Amino acid sequence: WLKLLLKPRESFVPPAMDPQSVSRVHVQHEDRTCLFQFSAGANTGKSLRILCFGDSLTAGFNKYGASFDPYGRELCQQLGEAGFDVEVTSIGFTGRTAKAMGEGADQKVYQCTCGFSGPGLRHHLRESAPYDLVLIMAGTNDFAYFMSAEQIAANVGRLHEAHCSFRCWRMSRTTTSGPTG
C-alpha cells in the first residue's frame, strides 16, 4: 500500500536529477544509538523532512538485536525513487512501551532495552525541528504489560501531545488488538 500511496500524481514532474541518485539512500548512524538518518533524491535544497518515532518496529529490530533495519530506510528509498528529495530520521526504542516513551519525551539520552540510546521525542524535536511529517508507531510492547486498548491509545495520545507544539503533520499506528489465546 505504501507504493500506491507514494506514487506521484500524473501531473507531477520530478526535478531533473542524476538517475543514479534516485535509488541511492545515504545512511548516517552512530554505533550504539537508536537514531538512524537517511536521505535520497536530487538534493535540490528543499527536502521533505520526516521523523519516524516508536518502538522496535520503528527500529527494525531483528536477529535478536544483532541487526536493525528501520522502515525509515524503505520509506526514504520509495520517496526518492518517486522523485522527492527526502530526509528521514528514524528513532526506535526496542522493548519500550508507549507509556515509557511518553515519560521519557524530554530526555536528552533515553535507553532502549538493548542498551542503545537516543533522544526522547520532545527533546529531539526541540533540537531538530521542523519536520514536515512525524510518524509514530508505538503500543505493541504495552500489550506485554497487559494494558487495555484504552490505556494504550491514551499513552500513544501522550506521544502526540509531546510534539503538537512543533506544527508538523502526524500519523500514528498501533496494533488494534491484544494477544489472543
Side-chain angles (χ1 to χ4, degrees):
W1 67 268
L2 183 60
K3 288 184 180 184
L4 294 175
L5 177 69
L6 299 178
K7 283 199 185 277
R9 294 186 185 111
E10 297 288 330
S11 61
F12 175 79
V13 178
M17 64 184 89
D18 170 14
Q20 295 298 318
S21 70
V22 173
S23 61
R24 200 175 319 138
V25 174
H26 303 281
V27 180
Q28 291 181 341
H29 176 250
E30 293 181 26
D31 196 30
R32 307 297 297 169
T33 68
C34 298
L35 190 144
F36 289 80
Q37 293 182 304
F38 310 103
S39 61
N43 298 320
T44 61
K46 175 87 173 93
S47 292
L48 174 65
R49 296 189 72 225
I50 300 172
L51 172 62
C52 303
F53 187 90
D55 56 24
S56 57
L57 297 175
T58 301
F61 178 86
N62 62 55
K63 298 181 184 173
Y64 301 100
S67 69
F68 292 83
D69 188 19
Y71 74 84
R73 178 193 315 258
E74 182 68 17
L75 176 64
C76 186
Q77 173 90 24
Q78 294 296 319
L79 285 169
E81 288 178 1
F84 294 94
D85 265 348
V86 63
E87 296 174 20
V88 177
T89 299
S90 181
I91 304 173
F93 295 100
T94 300
R96 293 294 180 210
T97 62
K99 180 180 180 184
M101 288 185 283
E103 291 167 351
D106 289 307
Q107 293 182 10
K108 181 178 181 178
V109 178
Y110 183 73
Q111 272 197 328
C112 73
T113 57
C114 293
F116 299 143
S117 62
L121 179 58
R122 197 172 10 247
H123 178 82
H124 179 74
L125 288 170
R126 272 195 301 269
E127 299 294 317
S128 302
Y131 282 96
D132 299 299
L133 177 65
V134 174
L135 302 171
I136 296 175
M137 188 179 297
T140 53
N141 293 321
D142 298 62
F143 283 116
Y145 294 93
F146 303 102
M147 292 182 197
S148 68
E150 292 79 16
Q151 289 172 306
I152 294 169
N155 293 334
V156 172
R158 285 188 200 93
L159 286 172
H160 281 283
E161 291 169 7
H163 72 80
C164 282
S165 63
F166 293 94
R167 295 190 178 145
C168 44
W169 289 98
R170 55 202 174 273
M171 187 163 122
S172 179
R173 177 73 178 122
T174 189
T175 55
T176 56
S177 63
T180 59

